[in-house]
Amino acid sequence: LRIGAVALFVIMLLLLYARYVLITDIDHDEVEHLHVGFRMLEGLIPYRDFYQNHLPAYWIASMHFVEGFPFSVNAVLAGRVLSVASLAGCWALGLLLLQQFPGGKSWLARLIYTWVVILLAQFMDFHIARPDPVMALFVTAGICLVPRRGGIGNPRALLLGLSFGLSAAVSIKMLPFLMVVPAVIALHGWRERSWRPLTGWFFFGFGFFLGVMPVILWLIHHGTWEHFVADVWEINRAVGKHWAASFSFLHIPVYMMGFLGMLASVSRYRLPWNSDQNGPAILAFAMLAGLILAAITRHPLAYNYQSLVVPLAVGFTVLVLTAWF
């Protein structure tokens, strides 16, 4: 990144730290996750000794926050620093995706993109000390580290699979986004009229397995697999919702503009037949994953869509650039 981009990065961090970390009321989810960390420090195991409906990876961090700042609100602030740092990582990774579009390296594009990221972060409560921001960081890495052109080599597919596996170890809300990289690999095979690129599926799957395996081994080691399935899967699936809640994404600021930007980029490159540009395909598949998430999620809260922060911001910026140029 150039010096100017680094300056934007630092300014955004300072603004978000002042706005979100220091002066925002504490959320009940923050207390919940710190309490889980506290109980684990006492030797209790989630699912087996008490109910929980989240995955255990984030509680490794919350244990350290509680241990480092016992009985202090600073434990919450430490968790918020991790969330804001995750947002900053998403922003920086998104610059790589933005550069895949005409004008994406310009200062106008970076300023618009940065503004939209901050707007979406505020709406989606990205500052709250909970697992979703960390999950979104790994999802964003898996989306934005796809090469600009051509296929995804096997080593890159392994790395991307590992990123999504680490994301799945933090939250199952990332599962629809798991389709993005395999879909891009399939698209490349279609363009080449060859089955050879599809070997990337195996490496992607193996990387995903490596990323999520430590959590599986932890559950098996503590004899909590059945309790985990009951708490995280079965109870969540049993929660009903009104059909209209699946359209909650329409309340997200700039969602429609970001979606139109994605359509404009796809139309411009006439995907999937006449272009080896991956950026428009990534945007399209990420937006589709967001729609799937909206359809299957059990409640309509905005933080469910934190993994869409970068795709929406890039889509909105692409729309403005298309109209401007």
Side-chain angles (χ1 to χ4, degrees):
L1 297 177
R2 296 179 179 179
I3 295 177
V6 174
L8 272 178
F9 175 82
V10 172
I11 292 172
M12 185 183 75
L13 270 182
L14 292 175
L15 291 174
L16 291 175
Y17 184 85
R19 168 63 178 87
Y20 295 134
V21 177
L22 296 178
I23 62 176
T24 305
D25 292 339
I26 293 176
D27 185 85
H28 65 87
D29 278 353
E30 298 176 298
V31 178
E32 172 190 346
H33 290 292
L34 290 176
H35 186 234
V36 173
F38 174 78
R39 302 193 76 178
M40 289 177 68
L41 285 173
E42 292 186 319
L44 300 178
I45 302 300
Y47 321 119
R48 187 189 69 190
D49 299 325
F50 59 92
Y51 167 77
Q52 252 301 326
N53 66 341
H54 295 84
L55 274 72
Y58 182 78
W59 298 324
I60 296 174
S62 68
M63 286 172 61
H64 288 295
F65 299 152
V66 172
E67 190 174 28
F69 305 99
F71 306 104
S72 170
V73 72
N74 289 332
V76 175
L77 300 184
R80 290 185 174 186
V81 169
L82 177 60
S83 295
V84 173
S86 298
L87 174 62
C90 291
W91 171 84
L93 289 163
L95 289 175
L96 300 176
L97 179 59
L98 183 63
Q99 291 175 7
Q100 299 190 23
F101 298 90
K105 295 182 180 181
S106 67
W107 279 108
L108 174 63
R110 291 172 179 174
L111 288 172
I112 294 172
Y113 164 77
T114 300
W115 169 74
V116 177
V117 166
I118 293 175
L119 174 67
L120 291 172
Q122 177 178 353
F123 182 79
M124 295 180 181
D125 291 333
F126 221 108
H127 67 284
I128 290 178
R130 62 190 326 275
D132 296 66
V134 180
M135 174 268 297
L137 174 62
F138 287 118
V139 168
T140 302
I143 291 174
C144 295
L145 294 179
V146 174
R148 178 188 181 100
R149 289 179 176 272
I152 301 174
N154 292 338
R156 180 70 65 94
L158 180 68
L159 172 64
L160 299 179
L162 178 62
S163 181
F164 278 101
L166 292 173
S167 177
V170 178
S171 173
I172 60 175
K173 293 176 185 175
M174 55 72 58
L175 289 179
F177 293 89
L178 193 60
M179 61 163 281
V180 175
V181 172
V184 174
I185 293 174
L187 185 58
H188 185 63
W190 170 270
R191 290 166 179 164
E192 287 195 351
R193 301 296 191 272
S194 171
W195 292 99
R196 182 173 300 177
L198 301 187
T199 59
W201 286 353
F202 169 79
F203 288 89
F204 178 82
F206 184 63
F208 178 83
F209 175 78
L210 291 178
V212 77
M213 180 50 60
V215 166
I216 296 176
L217 292 177
W218 186 90
L219 293 170
I220 295 175
H221 173 72
H222 289 94
T224 62
W225 180 259
E226 293 184 0
H227 302 87
F228 166 79
V229 172
D231 286 3
V232 176
W233 288 98
E234 295 180 1
I235 292 180
N236 279 333
R237 288 179 56 194
V239 176
K241 69 171 182 178
H242 191 271
W243 63 269
S246 293
F247 296 94
S248 60
F249 59 87
L250 293 175
H251 296 288
I252 300 175
V254 310
Y255 177 86
M256 292 306 299
M257 302 293 282
F259 191 82
L260 289 175
M262 179 274 295
L263 293 179
S265 69
V266 169
S267 175
R268 179 170 184 171
Y269 290 100
R270 298 182 296 280
L271 292 176
W273 296 277
N274 298 330
S275 172
D276 65 348
Q277 294 274 359
N278 287 325
I282 294 168
L283 269 186
F285 292 134
M287 293 288 190
L288 177 59
L291 292 176
I292 295 173
L293 178 63
I296 65 177
T297 188
R298 309 319 298 167
H299 56 77
L301 298 179
Y303 62 71
N304 286 331
Y305 304 103
Q306 288 180 1
S307 295
L308 275 176
V309 163
V310 165
L312 285 174
V314 171
F316 181 90
T317 306
V318 168
L319 183 63
V320 174
L321 295 176
T322 302
W324 186 270
F325 300 105

